[in-house]
Amino acid sequence: MSTVPGPAAPSPASRPPGSDNSAWVSGLVLFAAVVLIVNGILEIFQGIMAIADDDVFVSTPRYVFRLDLTSWGWIHLILGLLVALTGFALLRASTWARIAGIFFASLAMLGSFLSLPYYPLWSLVLIALDVFVIWALCVYRSDRPSYY
């Protein structure tokens, strides 16, 4: 029984730059997917709280952006569902999920910016996490199999 050798794997020097993912980049994308899932779930709960009872949130009467908390709650609820679903799809290494993850993290960053006067420390933490998610999804190349 003879074995026919398959094509040799290209050496790292012959690959184009940026075509391979190191383990840490894949780990960062996995972390970004989990952050998106958790952020989506938190957005869902935040939306439910705003829809159910407007008195849960702090209100600043002289803020430039005046939003109705019930409509803001529906926005959080729908956005949270989309963000969580995108995070789950990102675990499957979907290209569309990477692009959607960048888009939704950008929207979440904008929402965190708008809530800076209400919750400054929490908003800054979320903005930093969103920047990390965007960075991790931008540097990832989808030449690896899905995570599960």
Side-chain angles (χ1 to χ4, degrees):
M1 181 181 235
S2 67
T3 59
V4 177
S11 68
S14 67
R15 293 184 197 148
S19 67
D20 60 338
N21 287 324
S22 61
W24 68 274
V25 173
S26 296
L28 291 177
V29 172
L30 178 61
F31 181 74
V34 171
V35 167
L36 282 175
I37 292 168
V38 171
N39 192 11
I41 292 170
L42 289 175
E43 291 279 335
I44 290 169
F45 287 140
Q46 191 174 11
I48 291 171
M49 288 186 319
I51 293 168
D53 189 13
D54 288 352
D55 297 334
V56 173
F57 294 98
V58 176
S59 177
T60 304
R62 295 181 44 142
Y63 187 43
V64 174
F65 301 106
R66 292 188 187 140
L67 301 168
D68 178 39
L69 286 178
T70 303
S71 59
W72 191 243
W74 280 106
I75 291 170
H76 276 281
L77 182 67
I78 294 167
L79 186 62
L81 285 170
L82 292 173
V83 168
L85 290 175
T86 301
F88 282 118
L90 193 58
L91 290 176
R92 307 273 303 166
S94 300
T95 303
W96 71 265
R98 206 177 54 161
I99 295 166
I102 293 169
F103 175 74
F104 287 134
S106 300
L107 281 181
M109 188 185 321
L110 183 65
S112 296
F113 176 76
L114 291 175
S115 64
L116 263 172
Y118 303 114
Y119 305 103
L121 183 61
W122 179 247
S123 296
L124 290 175
V125 168
L126 287 180
I127 287 171
L129 279 174
D130 290 331
V131 166
F132 170 77
V133 167
I134 291 169
W135 173 79
L137 295 178
C138 285
V139 299
Y140 181 71
R141 303 286 183 252
S142 61
D143 57 350
R144 298 228 177 212
S146 64
Y147 293 109
Y148 64 89

